[in-house]
């Protein structure tokens, strides 16, 4: 199970990095909605990691300096792997969401949410890239594995 979770986070890291690269290559065409979504995508993974590992978490919609996005992506990957290595996937974690409501979920559920959420938003970003005249990135998992 841990090996499969590591693989999913390697996939997530890889395609987040590709999205950031495409944005950097086309900065003049990249609108605010694209910037907002890549930040939200990275922020959400950081938040899920912090809910498990502790520490200060980002705001859900905070905008980070563009130059820091690759570093944030790398830190997110490193911390997600740390979670996978240190926690049992079935362990339940209590946390508060961004509205302050208390919940508890398993580590697996929280990590899967981070992966699934990033995949969803990369799809949205791809739609916006295409509307901006930029070729979208083929981010399907199967393309990553081929």
């Amino acid at each position: 199970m841990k090996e499969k979770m590591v693989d999913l986070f390697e996939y997530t890291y890889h395609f987040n990095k590709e999205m950031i690269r495409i944005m950097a290559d086309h900065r003049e065409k990249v609108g605010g909605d694209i910037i907002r979504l890549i930040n939200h995508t990275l922020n959400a993974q950081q938040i899920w990691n912090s809910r498990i590992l502790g520490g200060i978490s980002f705001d859900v919609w905070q905008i980070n300096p563009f130059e820091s996005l690759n570093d944030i992506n790398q830190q997110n990957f490193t911390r997600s792997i740390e979670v996978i290595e240190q926690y049992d996937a079935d362990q339940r974690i209590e946390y508060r969401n961004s509205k302050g409501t208390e919940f508890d979920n398993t580590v697996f559920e929280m990590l899967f949410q981070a992966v699934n959420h990033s995949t969803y938003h990369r799809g949205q970003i791809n739609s916006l890239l295409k509307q901006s005249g930029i070729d979208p990135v083929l981010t399907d998992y199967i393309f990553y594995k081929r």
Side-chain angles (χ1 to χ4, degrees), residues 7-130:
D7 183 57
L8 289 175
F9 279 99
E10 288 172 344
Y11 157 75
T12 298
Y13 170 76
H14 173 81
F15 280 118
N16 284 344
K17 188 174 175 180
E18 281 299 300
M19 298 304 265
I20 295 165
R21 183 188 62 76
I22 290 293
M23 290 176 206
D25 289 349
H26 300 279
R27 279 302 295 265
E28 70 285 348
K29 292 183 177 181
V30 172
D33 286 345
I34 295 170
I35 296 297
R36 186 172 60 81
L37 281 172
I38 192 62
N39 274 277
H40 174 68
T41 301
L42 297 174
N43 294 346
Q45 186 177 347
Q46 192 274 348
I47 290 166
W48 283 109
N49 286 336
S50 293
R51 286 175 177 163
I52 299 167
L53 293 170
I56 297 171
S57 66
F58 289 170
D59 290 331
V60 175
W61 290 103
Q62 83 180 41
I63 302 299
N64 304 294
F66 188 82
E67 299 74 24
S68 71
L69 297 183
N70 276 314
D71 288 340
I72 293 168
N73 188 40
Q74 178 64 56
Q75 291 166 10
N76 283 345
F77 173 72
T78 301
R79 299 225 343 136
S80 293
I81 299 307
E82 184 180 335
V83 169
I84 293 165
E85 290 173 350
Q86 292 182 10
Y87 288 81
D88 182 283
D90 294 325
Q91 181 177 343
R92 296 194 78 79
I93 304 284
E94 293 179 5
Y95 64 94
R96 291 181 185 268
N97 70 3
S98 60
K99 295 178 182 176
T101 307
E102 291 185 17
F103 293 96
D104 73 276
N105 288 93
T106 67
V107 168
F108 174 81
E109 291 165 343
M110 296 167 83
L111 291 176
F112 187 76
Q113 169 61 26
V115 169
N116 195 51
H117 183 262
S118 66
T119 302
Y120 171 77
H121 285 304
R122 282 192 304 272
Q124 289 181 309
I125 292 167
N126 264 334
S127 292
L128 292 170
L129 289 172
K130 188 171 184 174

